[in-house]
């Protein structure tokens, strides 16, 4: 009888322990899902904000810099270079905006500044900005 009582107590302890472990794992899983969703949603919001906002890196007057685009440079390569030099906020947003505004990056040496929006930088790097300034000089 004593063995039965001891086995019964052990079974109860095992059931309680198993239940506590299952509930704990479910709570941990829910917390992980909430954290992943939180960071995913905030990251998506920040990306969308960087794509559709007209933010500049600095206020007028900006700091002018020379930018060289080589033949065959991808939009991401150029975006990383611009981000690294402090001309834009996000290289991936630059890539997205390049396709959104349907711009082609032309090889050459360009002058851009930190007070330009990404759209203005794309205008210059696609050669559109130079054509406008040449027309203005005539």
């Amino acid at each position: 009888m004593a063995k039965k009582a001891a086995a019964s107590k052990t079974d109860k302890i095992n059931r309680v322990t198993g239940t506590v472990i299952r509930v704990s794992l479910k709570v941990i899983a829910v917390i992980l899902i909430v954290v992943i969703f939180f960071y995913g949603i905030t990251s998506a919001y920040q990306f969308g904000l960087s794509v559709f906002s007209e933010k500049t890196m600095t206020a007028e007057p900006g700091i002018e810099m020379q930018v060289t685009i080589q033949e065959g440079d991808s939009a991401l390569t150029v975006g990383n270079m611009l981000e690294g030099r402090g001309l834009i906020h996000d290289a991936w947003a630059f890539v997205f905006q390049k396709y959104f505004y349907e711009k082609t990056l032309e090889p050459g040496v360009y002058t851009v500044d930190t007070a330009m929006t990404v759209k203005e930088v794309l205008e210059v790097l696609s050669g559109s900005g130079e054509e406008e300034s040449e027309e203005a000089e005539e």
Side-chain angles (χ1 to χ4, degrees), residues 2 4 14 17 19 33 38 40 42 57 69 71 75 81 90 95 118 127 134-136:
K4 245 184 181 179
N14 286 341
T17 304
T19 303
I33 290 170
F38 175 77
T42 55
M57 292 299 283
I69 298 179
E71 183 74 36
M81 183 256 305
D90 186 351
V95 171
V118 174
E134 289 174 8
E135 289 174 4

Side-chain angles (χ1 to χ4, degrees), residues 55-111:
K55 289 192 310 187
T56 61
M57 292 299 283
T58 61
E60 289 284 343
I63 300 168
E64 287 189 353
M65 293 184 200
Q66 290 278 321
V67 174
T68 304
I69 298 179
Q70 303 293 328
E71 183 74 36
D73 280 354
S74 69
L76 184 58
T77 302
V78 173
N80 283 329
M81 183 256 305
L82 294 172
E83 183 180 3
R85 298 196 56 199
L87 292 164
I88 62 172
H89 290 281
D90 186 351
W92 283 103
F94 175 82
V95 171
F96 187 87
Q97 286 177 324
K98 176 200 170 289
Y99 291 109
F100 181 75
Y101 293 122
E102 298 177 344
K103 297 293 181 183
T104 304
L105 300 176
E106 299 294 330
V109 178
Y110 303 96
T111 301

Side-chain angles (χ1 to χ4, degrees), residues 1-66:
M1 182 106 159
K3 282 187 176 183
K4 245 184 181 179
S8 176
K9 267 188 172 180
T10 304
D11 288 342
K12 285 180 183 178
I13 291 171
N14 286 341
R15 274 189 265 132
V16 169
T17 304
T19 303
V20 168
I21 290 172
R22 279 192 298 278
V23 169
S24 298
L25 289 175
K26 287 179 183 180
V27 168
I28 290 170
V30 168
I31 290 171
L32 283 175
I33 290 170
V34 168
V35 168
I36 289 169
F37 272 106
F38 175 77
Y39 282 111
I41 290 169
T42 55
S43 295
Y45 174 78
Q46 288 299 324
F47 180 73
L49 187 64
S50 66
V51 167
F52 295 109
S53 72
E54 293 289 323
K55 289 192 310 187
T56 61
M57 292 299 283
T58 61
E60 289 284 343
I63 300 168
E64 287 189 353
M65 293 184 200
Q66 290 278 321

